[in-house]
Amino acid sequence: MHACKYVAGHSAYIFCLTMITEIIKGGGIERAAQIIKAGGVVAFPTETVYGLGANAFDERAVAEIYRAKGRPQDNPLICHIASVEEVSEVAAEVPDLFFSLAGKFMPGPLTVVLKKGNKIPYAVTAGMDSVAVRMPDNPTARALIKACGCPLAAPSANASKHVSPTTAMHVYDDLNGRIPLILDGGECRVGIESTVLSLVTPVPTILRPGAVTEEMLSEVLGEVKTHTGRIIAAAPAPGMKYKHYAPRCRAVLAQDAKDALNLYRSAESEGLKPVFISAGRMPEFDGLNVINMGRDEEAAARIYAALRDAEKAYDYIIVQKLDGGGVEKSVMNRIFKATANEE
Ligand code: TXA
Ligand code: MG
């Protein structure tokens, strides 16, 4: 699979570590399952974002995910299952609470952290005794897991630290030459990653907010906390300590349209080419560079594509603050990180 080229004058072949990345739209499940069963990785659509999947029982296949993404080894992966019963394949001592949550939110954008089962290698959980489990609500994802006959360990299919992918082209832009196959299932419906909820903490704790909100979870759980820790090494979702969702140019947060206009004008005066990602139509910006992400569910579905489109065509991104509750809070969690400009 690796391309190999002979360089004249040199006595050896130079391995370029590139491979042809194929994109299949509609179908391709059997071919994808073949690759995964042979220990490879495949990108596939879910309702949240695209994932990069490998056999969760195969330590070497899982190592391939980290290599392809350039992901730090201490950031654990989510195990994707196709039916609720399969939870016993990945987790141990599954509490009743999990099944109550599953009855209401699975399949769907909820990941639950449980005690790790013996069959899951520590490569998946980054050495931890807990494991994250999710049952995606996307026909391609479910068909793929079934065809593989094993749970799929899968992070979002972006290059580490970059904005998550919500189309097959986003995956291609980041991982072309690094993975053999992308299953193209069109645009992701939800658009931001799943809510991560830990059931191994004394009180159920949201480690990453998503489309399944604290209010929705509290109806099932009663008490639920949201982890509000800063990006620290001891954060219970290890991934939280890393830079995330970073566009490839500077991105800043605007409190409102007026603030955005000031930032826009001063960027222009510095010779930059700014763009404003707005929450709805802003008449002040008529004739200027704007990408409208909308609000609520629409903003969730559009934010990552907006950031990716913005970084391609402009060199200074201004994002409008969303002040609503529910899913807007989860979108803001991503916007804060995208505009943190952390190293
Ligand atoms: O919607 C999603 O969740 C997507 C799709 C592909 O399913 N996946 C995704 O994976 O966002 P990733 O790897 O980009 O994010 C997984 C998050 C990370 O913040 C990681 O630290 C956390 O889940 N996580 C995974 N296993 C964990 C565990 N055992 N304990 C605590 N946090 C865990
Ligand atoms: Mg990710």
Side-chain angles (χ1 to χ4, degrees):
M1 187 67 77
H2 289 137
C4 165
K5 99 177 164 198
Y6 182 71
V7 179
H10 288 251
S11 55
Y13 284 92
I14 310 285
F15 286 90
C16 314
L17 281 183
T18 57
M19 56 173 95
I20 306 294
T21 300
E22 198 184 339
I23 303 180
I24 303 180
K25 194 173 172 80
I29 299 286
E30 279 315 313
R31 182 148 156 55
Q34 253 174 14
I35 293 172
I36 287 175
K37 284 181 191 168
V41 297
V42 170
F44 63 97
T46 83
E47 79 280 24
T48 57
V49 299
Y50 276 71
L52 182 63
N55 178 352
F57 295 142
D58 181 346
E59 204 169 331
R60 281 174 59 184
V62 169
E64 185 59 16
I65 294 179
Y66 285 92
R67 184 204 62 79
K69 282 194 57 147
R71 180 176 174 107
Q73 299 276 345
D74 62 348
N75 192 2
L77 307 174
I78 296 172
C79 290
H80 296 69
I81 55 177
S83 70
V84 175
E85 297 70 52
E86 280 170 59
V87 69
S88 58
E89 296 271 292
V90 299
E93 298 165 30
V94 181
D96 291 343
L97 217 44
F98 172 83
F99 294 100
S100 310
L101 288 165
K104 187 128 193 208
F105 301 113
M106 292 184 193
L110 176 66
T111 295
V112 182
V113 176
L114 299 166
K115 189 167 185 291
K116 186 179 93 65
N118 285 335
K119 284 171 79 178
I120 294 295
Y122 280 107
V124 171
T125 67
M128 296 196 300
D129 287 317
S130 61
V131 66
V133 186
R134 153 163 146 76
M135 182 173 156
D137 181 22
N138 175 290
T140 305
R142 304 265 294 283
L144 178 63
I145 301 166
K146 278 191 192 137
C148 293
C150 60
L152 296 185
S156 49
N158 50 283
S160 185
K161 302 185 176 70
H162 194 212
V163 178
S164 296
T166 55
T167 68
M169 274 323 285
H170 292 166
V171 180
Y172 188 81
D173 284 347
D174 279 21
L175 301 180
N176 177 25
R178 303 182 70 88
I179 60 173
L181 177 63
I182 303 168
L183 295 180
D184 185 349
E187 283 175 23
C188 299
R189 176 174 57 81
V190 175
I192 55 169
E193 304 84 347
S194 61
T195 304
V196 179
L197 172 79
S198 177
L199 290 186
V200 299
T201 44
V203 175
T205 305
I206 296 170
L207 305 179
R208 179 177 69 185
V212 176
T213 61
E214 184 173 329
E215 300 77 54
M216 290 157 79
L217 288 168
S218 64
E219 281 177 29
V220 177
L221 297 171
E223 196 182 358
V224 53
K225 286 198 312 196
T226 293
H227 177 78
T228 50
R230 279 281 303 143
I231 302 173
I232 49 168
M240 290 167 78
K241 72 175 190 268
Y242 292 108
K243 176 175 167 177
H244 267 100
Y245 321 119
R248 303 220 192 273
C249 66
R250 200 168 149 73
V252 297
L253 185 65
Q255 298 302 317
D256 51 35
K258 188 167 162 258
D259 186 27
L261 201 54
N262 287 335
L263 288 163
Y264 192 104
R265 293 297 181 207
S266 55
E268 272 184 329
S269 70
E270 285 171 39
L272 293 165
K273 212 168 133 196
V275 61
F276 178 39
I277 299 179
S278 69
R281 207 192 134 238
M282 301 292 150
E284 303 94 311
F285 273 82
D286 282 353
L288 303 180
N289 306 324
V290 188
I291 300 174
N292 181 358
M293 69 177 155
R295 301 207 52 166
D296 300 306
E297 277 76 20
E298 204 175 30
R302 288 188 185 168
I303 182 64
Y304 289 146
L307 288 167
R308 281 177 178 262
D309 289 347
E311 71 180 5
K312 272 193 179 164
Y314 306 97
D315 51 25
Y316 186 80
I317 304 172
I318 304 156
V319 192
Q320 183 165 1
K321 193 172 171 183
L322 298 167
D323 47 19
V327 74
E328 281 203 354
K329 269 194 182 169
S330 306
V331 181
M332 265 319 290
N333 167 274
R334 309 314 196 265
I335 291 176
F336 277 131
K337 289 180 181 173
T339 56
N341 296 298
E342 284 168 285
E343 283 315 308

